[in-house]
Amino acid sequence: MNPSELQAKAAGNNRQLQPIGEILVGKGLVTREQLDKCLQKQKGSSKRLGEIFVQEGILNQDQLNQALAERLGVEHVGLAEYQVDSLAANMVPEKLARRYGAIPIKFLDENTLQVAMVDPTNVFAIDDLRMITGYDIRPAIASAEDVFGLIAKLHRLGDAVDEELAQEKDDYLAEAPVSADIRDAAAEAPIIKLVNGVITQGVDDGASDLHFEPQEKELVIRFRIDGVLHEIMSVPKRMQAGVLSRIKVMADMDIAERRIPQDGRIGLTVGGKPIDVRVASMPTVYGEKIVLRLLDKSSVLLGLSDLGFSGKALARFEKAYRKPYGAILVTGPTGSGKSTTLYATLNVLNSREKNIITVEDPVEYRLPGINQTQINPKAGLTFASGLRSILRSDPDIVMVGEIRDKETARIAIESALTGHLVLSTLHTNDAPGALTRLSEMGVEPFLTASAIECVLAQRLARRLCRHCRKPFEPSDEALKQGGFPEDVLGQGITIYRATGCPRCNNTGYKGRLGIYEVMLVSEAIERLTIERKSADEISRVAQAEGMVSLREDGIQKVLDGLTSVEEIGRVIV
């Protein structure tokens, strides 16, 4: 179908295209009040009305696409369960498919090709696809997640391995020792293709870490996705030296040194997104293990509301960070999202009128307008010495990556008492435990009580896949065991469980959200801190004053259908 035919068909269905809002109201998917509210939000915004419905949680993307398909007179396809014709899909180059958000899915007849598109009204894309393929194009609408996910899956990593092994002329070569010249091995095209493909797939899958793990007979590659490791593929042992050397060359590491751990960094652009890659190697009995930490620069632009804060928790936290001085501590285990929360807070506070300086280990994201310092213990630049230098540089806001020792803690606390807003992280299990932890580190309780304005404890829980989550009605006994409040018992509530589908790699989860506990330090909590009371006693008073505990916040997110009881049990003791 050419563009004019598409327009003619749409016009034939309805001489004047019916507004999408009216279609949604007519289908019973949206109320008139919701439509009016979203139309108001659309004013002064560059977003389409459908995007606002999805953003507000009124519709999911599939519901919106079905309505758009009806409006335009095209088919709606869900690609997660669709049997795509690989011959058709390969007719369009990957770069062009990504540019237009379009992928051919099947031949309708000898002259017509059906193409799944994010935007089937893009007549320029349809024109180009018709010229490239030589077929008439019949567009169908599909979600961006499905289209780009399918494009990524069609770019198989196994091709690089097969290409490398196909170069072997005789079977005995597979058992031959690896070439001594590892630079030559790293320069082979299949090796480069494999490494680039692994990194690209890691970005597309939303992985935070890529693990290259040498085993006795193979090199295993695993991705950490939403906090959980998944084995992706294994590479023949003879390719191990080439793959690992290629990564070390990219990270500007010493490829001849395999006896000691090394660190490096790679700057990449993947699918138009700038990605920083932190590389760490360490020797193991079967060779060097290398871990790549993927830092998506676009994620640092997230607002606090995008991280999973409830309205009440965000209001309490904002009350603290809007003060001109005092200390704000973010606590939780490694990998609980503390740095992301601090960066999001700095983004809110950043302005031309403020001098913001950070000292970090390492600097994970580079923020415009903020002075960031990376510690270097070998050169004598530690958190404590860096913090002293910061205080001589006339700062308004100071961010210390982590309070690890008594000296850093003391300087941070004294800085908060002398008119600076100080943000930092600390390793404790909950918010009240931060006050007793500082006392254990040797900071006088009266200083802690006076300086700390707020302690935020957090965890990261996996978000249920919205496409395959299944509702069920738990028994009251199960709710009691899960720690649900008494007022929900006997109410016949509906919550959701994970099942698994192709869109979430059959895990039942896609993405993560924060679980938060925000404790404001009141006069009563100050007194308990000075008296060296236990964290349990401080917690009881804080909850009486309105603090929602980690478990309570997690349970509320289960009731909201965002995560599961099992996931809350996994991340919160």
Side-chain angles (χ1 to χ4, degrees):
M1 181 183 296
N2 62 38
S4 59
E5 288 174 331
L6 174 63
Q7 292 166 347
K9 182 172 182 179
N13 287 339
N14 191 343
R15 290 189 179 182
Q16 184 176 2
L17 286 178
Q18 190 178 5
I20 187 65
E22 296 301 328
I23 292 176
L24 293 167
V25 171
K27 293 171 75 70
L29 296 172
V30 169
T31 65
R32 180 65 61 182
E33 292 75 18
Q34 289 172 325
L35 173 59
D36 292 339
K37 179 183 174 184
C38 290
L39 284 170
Q40 278 296 118
K41 287 201 168 188
Q42 190 188 20
K43 289 180 180 177
S45 166
S46 60
K47 292 183 178 178
R48 297 181 179 183
L49 183 60
E51 291 179 59
I52 295 174
F53 282 128
V54 174
Q55 181 182 307
E56 293 292 311
I58 298 170
L59 296 175
N60 61 40
Q61 191 65 50
D62 280 343
Q63 290 171 320
L64 174 62
N65 284 344
Q66 286 168 6
L68 288 170
E70 181 180 317
R71 179 175 187 255
L72 296 170
V74 300
E75 186 181 346
H76 168 256
V77 291
L79 298 180
E81 297 84 21
Y82 198 91
Q83 277 300 113
V84 175
D85 186 327
S86 59
L87 183 60
N90 285 319
M91 293 192 72
V92 176
E94 184 188 0
K95 284 187 179 179
L96 197 68
R98 287 187 179 278
R99 184 194 306 166
Y100 287 135
I103 183 79
I105 53 176
K106 69 176 178 181
F107 296 99
L108 296 176
D109 56 45
E110 61 182 17
N111 298 315
T112 311
L113 186 63
Q114 186 167 47
V115 178
M117 302 181 69
V118 176
D119 180 9
T121 64
N122 187 340
V123 293
F124 299 107
I126 294 171
D127 264 341
D128 283 358
L129 292 171
R130 188 173 68 253
M131 292 176 63
I132 289 167
T133 62
Y135 284 80
D136 289 334
I137 303 300
R138 179 171 295 176
I141 190 168
S143 69
E145 181 182 11
D146 279 359
V147 170
F148 290 109
L150 179 58
I151 293 169
K153 285 178 183 176
L154 290 171
H155 186 58
R156 294 293 180 191
L157 296 177
D159 293 347
V161 179
D162 294 341
E163 185 179 336
E164 166 71 6
L165 296 180
Q167 292 180 0
E168 302 299 341
K169 303 298 182 183
D170 301 296
D171 289 342
Y172 78 90
L173 286 177
E175 300 297 324
V178 178
S179 168
D181 189 351
I182 56 179
R183 287 185 181 274
D184 290 343
E188 291 172 3
I191 297 288
I192 296 172
K193 182 178 178 182
L194 173 63
V195 173
N196 291 346
V198 168
I199 296 173
T200 301
Q201 182 172 332
V203 173
D204 289 338
D205 290 352
S208 59
D209 301 87
L210 315 182
H211 293 245
F212 293 77
E213 301 176 328
Q215 302 298 320
E216 184 178 5
K217 296 181 179 178
E218 61 189 0
L219 175 69
V220 174
I221 299 174
R222 298 196 291 170
F223 291 177
R224 186 176 295 279
I225 302 172
D226 297 333
V228 178
L229 278 169
H230 303 271
E231 185 170 327
I232 302 300
M233 66 183 297
S234 60
V235 175
K237 188 71 173 177
R238 64 169 305 281
M239 293 178 68
Q240 175 178 310
V243 170
L244 300 183
S245 297
R246 172 62 185 167
I247 297 171
K248 291 171 76 173
V249 167
M250 293 172 70
D252 199 23
M253 296 159 67
D254 184 354
I255 62 173
E257 180 56 78
R258 307 191 198 108
R259 300 164 300 171
I260 59 174
Q262 295 186 67
D263 294 312
R265 195 180 208 108
I266 308 170
L268 299 171
T269 299
V270 180
K273 292 196 299 185
I275 304 290
D276 265 347
V277 184
R278 248 181 30 223
V279 185
S281 72
M282 62 178 296
T284 71
V285 292
Y286 295 121
E288 286 181 287
K289 168 174 174 152
I290 293 184
V291 178
L292 276 60
R293 166 67 59 89
L294 303 182
L295 303 170
D296 183 353
K297 292 182 180 178
S298 61
S299 68
V300 78
L301 302 175
L302 290 173
L304 287 167
S305 57
D306 300 320
L307 301 181
F309 276 95
S310 66
K312 183 179 177 182
L314 184 55
R316 286 168 65 86
F317 185 51
E318 185 172 6
K319 182 180 177 183
Y321 72 69
R322 289 294 183 188
K323 291 187 176 181
Y325 56 85
I328 296 174
L329 299 180
V330 181
T331 76
T334 301
S336 60
K338 300 187 296 295
S339 296
T340 302
T341 300
L342 287 180
Y343 281 127
T345 307
L346 288 179
N347 273 329
V348 175
L349 296 171
N350 191 10
S351 70
R352 292 183 180 277
E353 296 77 31
K354 292 175 181 172
N355 180 20
I356 303 177
I357 308 179
T358 74
V359 54
E360 308 170 54
D361 179 27
V363 175
E364 292 188 356
Y365 298 101
R366 296 174 188 182
L367 304 174
I370 293 179
N371 308 286
Q372 297 173 270
T373 305
Q374 181 162 320
I375 70 165
N376 185 353
K378 291 181 180 178
L381 178 57
T382 62
F383 277 121
S385 62
L387 188 48
R388 280 197 209 94
S389 298
I390 286 175
L391 297 176
R392 293 194 291 269
S393 301
D394 186 32
D396 296 297
I397 299 170
V398 176
M399 196 265 271
V400 184
E402 184 182 342
I403 293 178
R404 295 178 179 173
D405 52 52
K406 175 182 177 180
E407 187 178 12
T408 307
R410 183 179 56 78
I411 299 170
I413 293 298
E414 289 175 356
S415 303
L417 290 171
T418 54
H420 302 93
L421 180 63
V422 179
L423 288 77
S424 189
T425 69
L426 193 64
H427 287 284
T428 61
N429 289 328
D430 56 15
L435 300 177
T436 55
R437 174 74 180 124
L438 288 171
S439 298
E440 291 165 2
M441 292 175 74
V443 179
E444 291 295 337
F446 70 89
L447 292 176
T448 300
S450 302
I452 305 294
E453 292 291 336
C454 171
V455 184
L456 170 68
Q458 68 177 76
R459 300 289 189 276
L460 285 179
R462 289 182 293 173
R463 192 185 291 267
L464 281 169
C465 173
R466 68 179 187 275
H467 298 290
C468 65
R469 63 179 187 171
K470 294 293 182 187
F472 75 102
E473 191 174 307
S475 66
D476 285 350
E477 185 61 33
L479 292 174
K480 280 183 183 178
Q481 290 179 354
F484 281 73
E486 294 286 337
D487 58 357
V488 304
L489 301 181
Q491 300 294 316
I493 63 168
T494 297
I495 59 178
Y496 293 84
R497 61 161 61 101
T499 53
C501 70
R503 289 177 178 174
C504 59
N505 292 322
N506 295 309
T507 63
Y509 299 94
K510 192 168 182 64
R512 289 192 285 180
L513 75 161
I515 310 294
Y516 298 99
E517 176 178 275
V518 184
M519 183 183 77
L520 299 176
V521 178
S522 63
E523 290 184 12
I525 293 175
E526 285 184 23
R527 283 196 298 273
L528 292 175
T529 304
I530 293 170
E531 293 168 5
R532 296 181 183 268
K533 298 295 184 181
S534 69
D536 288 340
E537 291 178 83
I538 294 173
S539 180
R540 281 193 290 271
V541 171
Q543 290 188 61
E545 293 178 343
M547 181 186 81
V548 176
S549 70
L550 283 168
R551 178 164 289 279
E552 290 169 341
D553 191 45
I555 287 171
Q556 185 56 54
K557 287 179 168 68
V558 171
L559 294 172
D560 292 340
L562 300 174
T563 189
S564 66
V565 175
E566 294 78 12
E567 186 64 8
I568 295 303
R570 183 181 73 87
V571 300
I572 301 172
V573 179

